[in-house]
Amino acid sequence: MDMIRNIYCVGRNYRLHAEELGNEVPKSPFLFSKPTHALVQANGQEIRLPGDRGEVHFETEFVVHIGKPHQPGMKVAELVDRMALGIDFTLRDVQSELKKKGHPWLLAKGFPNSAVITEFRPFPGEDVCKTIDFSLRKNGEQVQRGNIRDMLFDLQTIVDFASVHFGLGVGDLIYTGTPAGVGPVADGDLLELLWGDEVIGSCRVKLV
């Protein structure tokens, strides 16, 4: 895997997901980040996750890789060179307590192996991606399905926002948000990430 610099994640970018967790639907992009230590490739292997901090939830996401330094006015097609699918693993019980206290989410979002990523493939353009659903199967059963056309904030809005507030350059990743259907994983679960009907990454959960 090439050198990855920053990992940005868009929260609450699908209306039904915001509503399923009882969150207000945002009026502007809501971003948080993960450390690079969180990143792990889904190549069929066992992935170790914390089993002693409450429920660990899967959140399946469309991910873009930034291939050029952002300059004002640049379009998504100029910036994004590759795409992938990912899982934003979340310690849901920990996150709920952090929310109550008004604390940052890092403890719930930034642990090792919390940012699963498939192999990258060339970005075919936003219009093409809107014609293809992405999904997650858990132990052979589809548990999430989404399409970037349903995002509250499109890719252009996201990259512009990220650049203004954080900076955006070569090697940065953006996890663009998860559709409805998130839920817990159990020890031994097999997770498969699909682009259309094609499995492009998988892993097995090991809770420790």
Side-chain angles (χ1 to χ4, degrees):
M1 192 181 299
D2 295 340
M3 180 63 68
I4 301 299
R5 295 179 64 196
N6 296 294
I7 303 172
Y8 299 127
C9 304
V10 185
R12 306 172 187 172
N13 201 22
Y14 290 78
R15 180 178 301 276
L16 292 178
H17 170 61
E19 292 174 349
E20 76 179 342
L21 294 183
N23 294 318
E24 182 180 348
V25 176
K27 294 180 173 59
S28 66
F30 175 75
L31 270 66
F32 58 93
S33 64
K34 289 178 179 267
T36 52
H37 296 293
L39 198 67
V40 60
Q41 193 163 354
N43 58 10
Q45 84 282 35
E46 186 176 84
I47 291 180
R48 295 163 67 88
L49 299 170
D52 59 352
R53 301 177 216 169
E55 287 192 344
V56 183
H57 279 205
F58 55 79
E59 299 190 10
T60 309
E61 313 209 4
F62 179 82
V63 183
V64 294
H65 177 276
I66 303 301
K68 290 183 180 179
H70 183 275
Q71 299 292 334
M74 288 184 74
K75 300 300 183 185
V76 168
E78 300 173 86
L79 278 170
V80 175
D81 61 349
R82 291 180 290 167
M83 55 152 285
L85 299 180
I87 302 174
D88 163 23
F89 279 120
T90 303
L91 295 172
R92 190 69 72 203
D93 296 333
V94 173
Q95 185 188 38
S96 295
E97 288 302 310
L98 293 170
K99 285 181 181 178
K100 290 177 185 176
K101 297 174 181 177
H103 290 178
W105 293 359
L106 189 57
L107 286 173
K109 291 284 194 177
F111 53 94
N113 298 337
S114 63
V116 170
I117 192 81
T118 66
E119 287 188 349
F120 291 100
R121 51 180 53 194
F123 179 61
E126 191 167 5
D127 289 342
V128 172
C129 291
K130 288 178 179 179
T131 68
I132 303 172
D133 288 354
F134 61 92
S135 60
L136 178 72
R137 287 198 306 230
K138 183 173 77 166
N139 302 324
E141 178 185 355
Q142 181 178 288
V143 288
Q144 278 191 285
R145 191 176 191 92
N147 190 298
I148 65 167
R149 65 173 176 265
D150 297 322
M151 296 193 305
L152 293 171
F153 305 104
D154 64 12
L155 293 179
Q156 190 67 53
T157 301
I158 292 168
V159 297
D160 289 345
F161 184 92
S163 178
V164 167
H165 293 280
F166 310 114
L168 200 58
V170 177
D172 289 345
L173 298 182
I174 303 178
Y175 282 60
T176 60
T178 191
V182 302
V185 295
D187 190 58
D189 279 349
L190 174 64
L191 303 178
E192 296 173 294
L193 291 151
L194 289 86
W195 180 239
D197 295 325
E198 179 187 359
V199 176
I200 63 172
S202 66
C203 62
R204 192 171 294 275
V205 173
K206 177 64 176 177
L207 296 181
V208 295

